[in-house]
Amino acid sequence: MRDSGMSRYNTYEPFYVELGDKKIADIVITHHARMRWTDRVEQNKTGFSDICSFLWERLKASQIKPYYKKEEEVFLVDDDLVMVVEFGVLENETDIAGNPLHKMIIVTFLGRMSEMIELRDLKSYYSWLRHSRRMTLIRNSRKRR
């Protein structure tokens, strides 16, 4: 979904929003991300256009920030909502200077840090998750013998 709220008379308004070193001109919501939005964020406004308009407003207001300083895949929205994104280059689209424009593909929403305390440190959370899964597999393999 592209930003549909631009006015024609305002020639200084950019048709992309900068996020770090990327120039975002389009947002794509995956089906998985929409399902996670319904499960973990909000049950009322769950349409693709609802989610995109929410994210566009946050992008314009500079309320989307990287989770870690050098991280380019995990972002925080309003310092609470954790989402995983990928970036793709829009073909045949550039800004005025000729730099490429990007699309932000929302892979999934992990949830709100205010509701899930585990999301405050993703590295330790995922290492704990891998460890617990590995230990479960080891325990189950012992039972089968």
Side-chain angles (χ1 to χ4, degrees):
M1 174 185 161
R2 293 191 178 235
D3 190 8
S4 59
M6 291 177 27
S7 68
R8 184 167 183 229
Y9 300 107
N10 190 355
T11 58
Y12 297 106
E13 184 175 10
F15 61 96
Y16 61 86
V17 179
E18 290 192 23
L19 181 62
D21 61 342
K22 307 280 194 270
K23 295 179 179 180
I24 310 299
D26 196 7
I27 295 178
V28 178
I29 306 288
T30 61
H31 179 70
H32 177 74
R34 185 177 166 275
M35 299 307 290
R36 291 294 187 176
W37 176 274
T38 305
D39 293 342
R40 298 179 177 183
V41 181
E42 185 176 352
Q43 283 80 26
N44 296 337
K45 296 183 178 181
T46 60
F48 289 107
S49 61
D50 296 328
I51 300 169
C52 283
S53 62
F54 170 78
L55 291 174
W56 268 119
E57 293 304 315
R58 295 308 184 263
L59 265 174
K60 288 182 198 175
S62 299
Q63 293 177 340
I64 296 181
K65 299 187 179 7
Y67 187 85
Y68 295 114
K69 289 180 182 176
K70 296 184 180 179
E71 184 68 46
E72 292 188 6
E73 294 177 345
V74 182
F75 287 88
L76 279 175
V77 180
D78 295 332
D79 292 327
D80 190 31
L81 179 61
V82 182
M83 67 179 181
V84 178
V85 303
E86 290 179 355
F87 295 102
V89 177
L90 287 172
E91 294 186 22
N92 302 325
E93 300 229 13
T94 59
D95 62 355
I96 296 172
N99 298 320
L101 296 178
H102 296 86
K103 61 182 171 184
M104 184 168 68
I105 303 167
I106 310 298
V107 177
T108 189
F109 292 98
L110 298 179
R112 296 189 182 274
M113 286 194 312
S114 59
E115 296 172 4
M116 296 178 63
I117 297 172
E118 298 89 11
L119 293 176
R120 292 179 191 250
D121 187 13
L122 279 182
K123 289 181 181 177
S124 64
Y125 174 66
Y126 279 115
S127 68
W128 170 80
L129 202 58
R130 277 193 300 275
H131 177 72
S132 66
R133 284 183 184 154
R134 189 173 68 229
M135 294 308 289
T136 303
L137 290 173
I138 290 172
R139 272 189 254 124
N140 290 340
S141 67
R142 287 181 192 160
K143 290 179 185 176
R144 283 187 229 144
R145 291 182 185 174

